[in-house]
Amino acid sequence: MKRPLAALLGILLVLSICVGCGPKGDISSGVAEQDFPVTVNEVTIQDEPKGVVVLSPNLAEVIMALGYEMQLCGKGAACTQEDLSVLPDMTLDDPQSILGVGADLVLTEDAPSEEQKKGLNDAGIDVVTIAPATSREDFTRLYREVGSCMMGGVKGYERGEKIAEGIFSTIDDISRQIPQTDTPVSVCYLYDVEGGVVTGDTLEGKLIECAGLINAASDGAGNHMDVETLLMVQPQYIFCPTGLKDTLTQTDQYKNLTAVQEGRVYEMDPSLMEWQGNGVISAVSFMAGTVYPSLAEGTTSLEPEGGESQTPTGGNSDMEVGDVTSDPEQPEGDSLKLGDEGDAVKNLQLRLAELGYLFVQPTGLYGEGTQQSIMDFQYVNNLRITGVADEETVNRLFAADAQPRPEGSLIYSADE
């Protein structure tokens, strides 16, 4: 009797261990146990890719935000980012060309046909379909999946998570600087004059909320809302892609929008609301700075660590943050860049705040917000736009005739 009982207990123990166990490399329920093989969206990548082709401009932005662009060997024709202009255009229909550039992985947002998938698989090429993010939480999923495909289920997964959280941490910093008001401000972002509008069920809708604004099209779905409904809600501000403003003002129905009649229509680089890389920070900055000019002018109260407040304004020599005064000392030595930290970075941030470029708290950490501020400064002051505070940029930044941020919310993007 003891032996059958022992055998039964042994079987139950094995079953209990195996229940719920999936492949070690599958990231669908969390970080994997090893980098490779890794399974992403039911596709198993056996080894670290020798090279990658990206067909979606949105995924290309994510790859660049992760810092993995050096692995790219080719791109889709829609990937118009200047940094990728040297890469050859590729399609799912030509596996031999993909092999020819040394790639064995393709990342796309549009699922391949069965014929395309077979051709790629027969050539030894993995193709992974990754959907764009629809929410803040889904934003992290997007970065985890892209990171895992390129660098593995541990290293890539964890970097993706870290970068995604860092981007929204910067957005949170911007949100905290938005002036408190009892009167909510309603806005909308129009893609076109045919009902295309950012709705509340999208990541872009969440970006509007992060800018401290009410999305007038929040009740819509699938980025569509009839103009009749929009006329009823009457957003106070309208944002739209570059080049659409004139069309809006000349279209009969849209002429009846109060924001159009009163000249509160603002054009944005369309990539800021279409691609989910670092540009989402710029999207929030642009919208918040347009509606709340004090942000762009550097006059909002920032809360440094320790709870003391300071109010950066252009040329305000009395501003203090902790033990660093508003007459920051010019950093010397090597260039400052993303990831650096220390007093040199803090002095750099304070000078950016004086000139109205910095939206985030000066903490001494060179994060995404500081990088964007440097790019804005370089753009306004006719410098090479790199996001790196090199010697030329620092000298210009601390010069007496450094150009402050113009009124409004000028944000540099790579497509300008």
Side-chain angles (χ1 to χ4, degrees), residues 5-255:
L5 180 60
L8 178 60
L9 290 173
I11 293 170
L12 291 174
L13 178 61
V14 170
L15 288 174
S16 67
I17 292 173
C18 293
V19 169
C21 293
K24 292 182 179 180
D26 193 338
I27 65 163
S28 60
S29 58
V31 63
E33 294 184 16
Q34 75 279 310
D35 281 324
F36 295 97
V38 62
T39 300
V40 181
N41 296 335
E42 301 182 351
V43 176
T44 299
I45 304 169
Q46 293 295 332
D47 300 294
E48 181 177 335
K50 298 181 179 66
V52 180
V53 168
V54 61
L55 300 181
S56 157
N58 183 49
L59 295 179
E61 283 291 306
V62 175
I63 290 169
M64 290 191 288
L66 290 169
Y68 290 162
E69 61 267 31
M70 293 304 293
Q71 288 180 259
L72 293 176
C73 302
K75 63 177 180 64
C79 300
T80 56
Q81 291 92 337
E82 184 177 354
D83 290 347
L84 305 182
S85 60
V86 297
L87 298 177
D89 289 347
M90 299 276 146
T91 70
L92 291 171
D93 296 314
D94 193 353
Q96 293 308 311
S97 292
I98 294 173
L99 290 175
V101 297
D104 53 2
L105 173 65
V106 176
L107 299 182
T108 178
E109 284 185 350
D110 299 319
S113 67
E114 289 302 317
E115 183 179 354
Q116 290 171 329
K117 188 186 298 185
K118 183 179 186 305
L120 291 164
N121 291 341
D122 288 348
I125 300 168
D126 293 315
V127 55
V128 181
T129 304
I130 301 179
T134 58
S135 66
R136 179 169 183 159
E137 294 74 20
D138 203 37
F139 188 81
T140 302
R141 181 274 310 163
L142 168 65
Y143 275 69
R144 286 170 176 165
E145 289 182 355
V146 174
S148 296
C149 285
M150 300 192 71
M151 292 300 291
V154 179
K155 181 180 178 181
Y157 182 102
E158 292 178 344
R159 179 164 179 81
E161 187 172 69
K162 178 181 178 181
I163 296 299
E165 291 176 353
I167 289 173
F168 262 95
S169 177
T170 300
I171 289 175
D172 289 340
D173 284 337
I174 297 170
S175 299
R176 282 190 284 270
Q177 316 314 318
I178 294 168
Q180 297 298 312
T181 175
D182 295 330
T183 306
V185 179
S186 65
V187 309
C188 70
Y189 181 94
L190 296 177
Y191 289 110
D192 51 47
V193 292
E194 299 167 355
V197 60
V198 166
T199 49
D201 59 340
T202 63
L203 176 69
E204 294 73 29
K206 305 301 183 292
L207 298 181
I208 290 175
E209 296 173 6
C210 289
L213 307 168
I214 303 297
N215 183 7
S218 61
D219 291 339
N223 283 339
H224 184 85
M225 176 177 276
D226 293 334
V227 65
E228 290 79 8
T229 306
L230 207 57
L231 286 167
M232 287 191 291
V233 296
Q234 285 292 354
Q236 295 163 270
Y237 290 79
I238 293 175
F239 297 98
C240 65
T242 304
L244 186 64
K245 181 177 179 179
D246 287 344
T247 304
L248 278 174
T249 59
Q250 296 168 18
T251 302
D252 289 340
Q253 286 180 302
Y254 287 90
K255 286 180 182 178

Side-chain angles (χ1 to χ4, degrees), residues 266-311:
Y266 299 89
E267 294 185 334
M268 294 172 57
D269 177 348
S271 70
L272 301 184
M273 293 293 269
E274 294 174 4
W275 300 344
Q276 298 171 346
N278 289 326
V280 297
I281 299 173
S282 300
V284 174
S285 296
F286 186 97
M287 291 184 288
T290 298
V291 175
Y292 303 108
S294 58
L295 284 173
E297 295 163 7
T299 57
T300 55
S301 176
L302 302 179
E303 293 290 334
E305 292 179 352
E308 300 178 24
S309 64
Q310 50 96 1
T311 305

Side-chain angles (χ1 to χ4, degrees), residues 253-268:
Q253 286 180 302
Y254 287 90
K255 286 180 182 178
N256 296 321
L257 289 170
T258 302
V260 173
Q261 294 172 350
E262 297 183 359
R264 291 194 299 271
V265 179
Y266 299 89
E267 294 185 334
M268 294 172 57

Side-chain angles (χ1 to χ4, degrees), residues 324-344:
V324 182
T325 70
S326 65
D327 189 17
E329 189 175 324
Q330 179 172 339
E332 297 180 359
D334 296 335
S335 298
L336 297 172
K337 60 186 182 303
L338 190 67
D340 289 344
E341 56 185 316
D343 288 342

Side-chain angles (χ1 to χ4, degrees), residues 169-170 172-174 176-177 301-308 310 312 321 345-346 349-350 353 358-367 369-370 373:
S169 177
T170 300
D172 289 340
D173 284 337
I174 297 170
R176 282 190 284 270
Q177 316 314 318
S301 176
L302 302 179
E303 293 290 334
E305 292 179 352
E308 300 178 24
Q310 50 96 1
V321 177
V345 173
K346 196 163 190 178
Q349 291 171 327
L350 287 170
L358 194 71
F359 285 94
V360 298
Q361 172 185 331
T363 60
L365 174 63
Y366 201 121
T370 303
S373 298

